Amino acid sequence: MLVEGYEELSLALASGAWPKELYYCPELMASPGQLELLQRVSGVGALELSRAAFEKAAYRDGPDGWLAMFPAVETRLSHLTVGAAPLILVCESVEKPGNLGAMLRTADAVGADAVIAPAAITDWSNPNIVRASKGAIFTVPVAEATTDELLNWLHERHIQLLAATPEATQSYWDVDMTGGVAIAVGSEKYGLGPELMAAADLKVLIPMNGQVDSLNVATSGALLMYEALRQRQARS
């Protein structure tokens, strides 16, 4: 997987990930002090590029002089280990890497245990996910699974599935999220699918008083995850 940017690369290294290849361009760096990163990856074949060559190799616009190739992150559901009352985000069929990356950043911010993608459309190694997550792809465990695999996994661990729907009668701040809970959000166009909606143990309403009929999926996920964090901090 391609990891671009000093902050993203630093987070990847801090997580224990190790690059296979590294490319850098001092002319594009924010400060010469960033070159200390080369000492942290001694043993990796680092190659200095000219500005013109680096800008051609870079994936993003306005690169900052750092680019590396890492092994793909582990995405097997069986690889996940969670505690007694985990907070999990379930992203069903979310197709835009920017939204997945944004939700990974929020998951990192609230201390979520994992982000799971049933019916995955976008690969977790997509460079735009790495970029939008600011490197949180390395700090939050992720997984892919079928819907049946996910539901069985949640049931075995006594984790409640929570879904937001306009048909719900309770607002999301009126439902207890202090136990093990998996917050489910769906695709940008269709929302959460009928199978996960039917399987939800908790159904909540996100109040909307304007004319627009839906929220961005990353916004919905952020509201629900931060309410779970608020409740858990209040209880502790």
Side-chain angles (χ1 to χ4, degrees), residues 97-112:
N99 281 331
L100 280 171
M103 287 189 283
L104 270 172
R105 288 178 69 178
T106 304
D108 174 86
V110 303

Side-chain angles (χ1 to χ4, degrees), residues 24 95 137 175 178 187 201 204 216:
Y24 66 100
E95 61 183 11
I137 185 71
V175 172
T178 57
S187 71
D201 304 289
V204 299
N216 173 272

Side-chain angles (χ1 to χ4, degrees), residues 21 27-28 32 54 57 64 84 103 108-109 124 131-132 136 142 152 161 188 197 208 210 218:
E21 302 171 14
E27 188 179 350
L28 291 169
F54 193 95
D64 68 358
M103 287 189 283
D108 174 86
W124 283 118
R131 179 182 183 181
V142 298
N152 289 334
L161 181 65
E188 291 87 348
M197 187 64 75
M208 297 185 64

Side-chain angles (χ1 to χ4, degrees), residues 20-198:
K20 300 172 70 175
E21 302 171 14
L22 176 67
Y23 304 89
Y24 66 100
C25 176
E27 188 179 350
L28 291 169
M29 294 178 190
S31 71
Q34 289 187 356
L35 285 169
E36 58 80 24
L37 191 146
L38 292 175
Q39 300 175 8
R40 296 163 57 189
V41 292
S42 59
V44 175
L47 181 62
E48 181 177 346
L49 301 181
S50 68
R51 179 169 188 152
F54 193 95
E55 287 177 341
K56 284 189 175 183
Y59 190 83
R60 66 173 67 174
D61 294 328
D64 68 358
W66 292 100
L67 179 66
M69 293 296 295
F70 282 78
V73 294
E74 176 62 69
T75 61
R76 288 176 297 172
L77 189 60
S78 59
H79 183 72
L80 292 183
T81 301
V82 296
L87 174 59
I88 294 167
L89 180 65
V90 173
C91 303
E92 181 189 43
S93 302
V94 175
E95 61 183 11
K96 295 181 180 178
N99 281 331
L100 280 171
M103 287 189 283
L104 270 172
R105 288 178 69 178
T106 304
D108 174 86
V110 303
D113 294 82
V115 178
I116 303 174
I121 293 177
T122 303
D123 193 294
W124 283 118
S125 298
N126 186 298
N128 284 323
I129 292 181
V130 180
R131 179 182 183 181
S133 76
K134 296 296 289 183
I137 185 71
F138 293 102
T139 65
V140 181
V142 298
E144 295 180 7
T146 66
T147 300
D148 286 342
E149 288 171 343
L150 168 67
L151 293 176
N152 289 334
W153 188 87
L154 294 175
H155 179 73
E156 290 170 0
R157 289 158 182 79
H158 308 289
I159 299 171
Q160 290 189 302
L161 181 65
L162 180 148
T165 170
E167 280 71 48
T169 58
Q170 286 184 300
S171 295
Y172 67 96
W173 53 70
D174 292 327
V175 172
D176 185 1
M177 302 186 201
T178 57
V181 63
I183 295 170
V185 295
S187 71
E188 291 87 348
K189 186 174 182 180
Y190 300 108
L192 200 61
E195 191 172 356
L196 281 183
M197 187 64 75

